[in-house]
Amino acid sequence: MPELPEVEICARELSAHLRGQTIRRIETPDNKIHLPRDLAGCRIKEIDRRGKFIIVQLEDERRILIHLGMTGWFVFRPPSKYRLALEVNDGAAYFEDPRRFGKVRLVSAAQQEQLLAELGPEPLAPGFNLRHLKRTGRPIKVALQDQHLVAGVGNMYASEALWRAHIHPKRPADRLADDELRRLRKSIVYVLRKAIAYGPQIYEVQRFTVYRRKGEPCHRCQTPIERLVLGGRSAYFCPQCQRFDRGSPRT
DNA sequence: AACGTACCCTGCCGGC
DNA sequence: TGCCGGCAGGGTACGT
């Protein structure tokens, strides 16, 4: 499940292969992806990321906005099945996405601005903080995954960051103390940065402390990890380290 | 407005 | 061994 780190790595790889190149041909075998043929001849100026979106900036100020969905990623040699091929003068990028939840669309600069304006702050940008989460009473994990509140955090890194910060996923966001929010902010930045540091190997070297480890021992206290469903999504946590009724961890 | 839920889609897992 | 139902899980659209 691509979240901020995976999307960041994907964007960097795309940049390495496509930046400065001119589009030669676009192929969209998937009937849910539509890109105009006239993109051929257009030069790719820059590739950026905002939240979980990849932004391919074209020379003519149009942008290809890409969301990887759950199973999307790019490869640079033709795979057996792909939803989009972007051929450039020196190479090509192929969009693989078995579950087809990914989205690709061409937008104007103004449309991009409008779409991405609704995203919350970037966790890795300077000045990032979680003070605004005090304005919602939703469970903290649900709030963290709301892209309007924090951009780029999804199910796995939300669980990982909450474990690291000793905070129960169900705690109402508006009842977190200042030091808890501070701890959580640091934990988010830590888990995201660490994942990005893995680089393209991320899918092979991913090591989770709680995510998908139900029943296995907590890395800190050996208590079996538990799973609960929040906002229709799995939350993994250590019932010992992340008490619902106790704000602060024992240090 | 804010929150909960169904849906999209397909690979994979467990049960029989 | 093989089949099959159900689940996971991003975002979004919709109902309350």
Side-chain angles (χ1 to χ4, degrees), chain A residues 53-112:
Chain A
F53 289 89
I54 294 169
I55 307 155
V56 180
Q57 279 196 56
L58 304 174
E59 202 170 40
D60 62 9
E61 290 308 305
R62 290 184 295 178
R63 287 99 211 264
I64 304 173
L65 225 52
I66 299 164
H67 195 290
L68 299 175
M70 272 187 62
T71 55
W73 69 91
F74 277 87
V75 294
F76 302 95
R77 293 176 178 283
S80 56
K81 193 165 189 187
Y82 53 87
R83 302 186 67 196
L84 163 72
L86 212 62
E87 294 177 20
V88 293
N89 50 329
D90 183 20
Y94 302 88
F95 181 45
E96 279 194 281
D97 182 22
R99 286 199 194 166
R100 303 173 67 210
F101 278 5
K103 297 240 162 53
V104 178
R105 57 182 289 207
L106 186 70
V107 297
S108 68
Q111 283 174 312
Q112 180 220 297

Side-chain angles (χ1 to χ4, degrees), chain A residues 54-203:
Chain A
I54 294 169
I55 307 155
V56 180
Q57 279 196 56
L58 304 174
E59 202 170 40
D60 62 9
E61 290 308 305
R62 290 184 295 178
R63 287 99 211 264
I64 304 173
L65 225 52
I66 299 164
H67 195 290
L68 299 175
M70 272 187 62
T71 55
W73 69 91
F74 277 87
V75 294
F76 302 95
R77 293 176 178 283
S80 56
K81 193 165 189 187
Y82 53 87
R83 302 186 67 196
L84 163 72
L86 212 62
E87 294 177 20
V88 293
N89 50 329
D90 183 20
Y94 302 88
F95 181 45
E96 279 194 281
D97 182 22
R99 286 199 194 166
R100 303 173 67 210
F101 278 5
K103 297 240 162 53
V104 178
R105 57 182 289 207
L106 186 70
V107 297
S108 68
Q111 283 174 312
Q112 180 220 297
E113 193 72 26
Q114 198 184 342
L115 284 167
L116 301 187
E118 292 169 16
L119 293 178
E122 279 294 320
L124 300 183
F128 170 68
N129 69 73
L130 297 175
R131 267 176 260 146
H132 56 296
L133 294 192
K134 288 189 158 190
R135 299 203 322 261
T136 177
R138 302 164 88 186
I140 183 61
K141 177 161 179 291
V142 174
L144 280 185
Q145 287 179 247
D146 185 335
Q147 300 301 298
H148 303 286
L149 297 177
V150 182
V153 173
N155 205 27
M156 49 191 205
Y157 293 105
S159 278
E160 293 296 305
L162 286 166
W163 176 84
R164 198 175 159 79
H166 296 78
I167 296 170
H168 192 289
K170 230 172 170 168
R171 298 268 309 280
D174 58 4
R175 277 191 249 160
L176 292 177
D178 287 344
D179 67 308
E180 290 182 304
L181 283 177
R182 213 158 40 236
R183 223 160 54 220
L184 185 53
R185 168 180 48 87
K186 286 183 184 171
S187 300
I188 291 169
V189 171
Y190 176 88
V191 297
L192 296 179
R193 277 202 204 288
K194 196 173 171 204
I196 290 173
Y198 286 143
Q201 278 68 250
I202 188 162
Y203 287 105

